[in-house]
Amino acid sequence: MKLFTLLTSTLLATAVSARSSIFGSSINVAPYDDALKVPGESPLQFCEDPKDNILELKSVDLDPNPPLPGKNLTIKATGTLSQNVTAGAAVHLQIKYGLITIIKQTLDLCDNVEKVDMKCPIEKGDITFEKEVELPKQIPPGKYTVFADAKTKDDEDVITCLTATVEFKVGGNVIVHQGLK
Ligand SMILES: *[C@@H]1O[C@H](CO)[C@@H](O)[C@H](O)[C@H]1NC(C)=O
Ligand SMILES: *[C@@H]1O[C@H](CO)[C@@H](O)[C@H](O)[C@H]1NC(C)=O
C-alpha cells in the first residue's frame, strides 16, 4: 500500500504542480509532445507510442482540477484491456530526485490492484479505476521524475508505461518538464 500510495501521490503531486503552473507567473514550460500526452485532465505522458500496449488508456482525470496540495484528490481512469491481465504482471517503478534514484522497485501488479478494489485476472475489456488520495502539503524543492512501466509476466508485453517530470523551486515556482527530455 505504501508504495502504491507513494506512486499515486508522486504522480499527483506532479499533477498539482503542472496545473498550478498554468496560473503561476515566472514559469518555464518545456516543449511539450502532444502525441504522447495521456488523454484527459492530467500531466501524465506515455513513455513511448502506446499503440501496442495492452491497456489502451482512454482518459485520466483529476478532480478537483487544479488539485490542491494538502487536500484530497480523486483520480479517475478509464481504458480498455486487449488481453486478460494475470498473475505475474509487474510494475517497474522508478522515482528520481534530481539525478538520484530514490525509488527503484518492481511491484507485483496483482497484489497492488487489490488495494483499489480490483482483482486478478483482470478480464479484458473496458475497465475503470477510481481512487481518492491525500496530497502532501509540502514537497521538498527539486526535480522529480516518475517512471512506471507495467508489463505482463516475464516482461513479455507492455501493459502501459507512464512518466512525468516536474521541478519544484524554492519559493513556490514550478518548472514543468514533460516527456522524456
Ligand atoms: C480471461 O479471463 C476470464 C475470466 O477469468 C476467462 O473466462 C477467459 O477464458 C480468459 N480469457 C483468456 C483468453 O485467457
Ligand atoms: C481523504 O482521503 C483519505 C484517503 O482516501 C480518507 O481516509 C479521508 O476520509 C478523506 N478525507 C476527506 C475530507 O474526504
Side-chain angles (χ1 to χ4, degrees):
M1 186 59 194
K2 269 192 200 138
L3 274 167
F4 181 79
T5 305
L6 181 60
L7 169 63
T8 38
S9 304
T10 309
L11 289 171
L12 296 173
T14 303
V16 169
S17 58
R19 284 290 145 199
S20 36
S21 71
I22 291 167
F23 304 98
S25 43
S26 48
I27 301 262
N28 198 355
V29 178
Y32 187 81
D33 189 349
D34 268 331
L36 292 178
K37 188 194 178 308
V38 174
E41 296 297 316
S42 90
L44 293 176
Q45 285 205 264
F46 295 107
C47 307
E48 57 189 16
D49 186 344
K51 69 180 163 55
D52 295 326
N53 290 359
I54 288 170
L55 175 62
E56 183 198 339
L57 204 47
K58 293 198 169 130
S59 66
V60 177
D61 289 303
L62 308 179
D63 181 38
N65 189 34
L68 302 168
K71 294 281 163 71
N72 278 7
L73 175 67
T74 303
I75 180 168
K76 283 186 192 163
T78 62
T80 305
L81 287 170
S82 64
Q83 296 175 22
N84 286 356
V85 171
T86 54
V91 180
H92 303 288
L93 174 66
Q94 193 173 1
I95 301 176
K96 283 185 172 182
Y97 178 64
L99 296 174
I100 303 163
T101 299
I102 52 171
I103 304 265
K104 186 172 183 180
Q105 190 129 14
T106 295
L107 307 174
D108 184 281
L109 183 73
C110 289
D111 284 353
N112 283 277
V113 294
E114 280 175 20
K115 283 140 194 167
V116 290
D117 304 321
M118 289 166 81
K119 223 173 90 183
C120 284
I122 308 169
E123 272 186 63
K124 71 176 186 179
D126 292 341
I127 59 164
T128 60
F129 159 93
E130 184 169 335
K131 178 80 180 164
E132 184 182 42
V133 295
E134 295 180 70
L135 295 188
K137 277 199 190 81
Q138 300 289 338
I139 299 160
K143 179 173 157 185
Y144 294 81
T145 306
V146 183
F147 177 83
D149 192 13
K151 292 188 163 171
T152 57
K153 191 171 191 295
D154 300 326
D155 289 346
E156 272 178 15
D157 295 301
V158 178
I159 299 169
T160 190
C161 182
L162 301 172
T163 187
T165 299
V166 78
E167 186 170 348
F168 299 88
K169 292 292 208 188
V170 178
N173 289 340
V174 177
I175 297 174
V176 179
H177 304 263
Q178 285 176 302
L180 294 173
K181 307 216 160 57

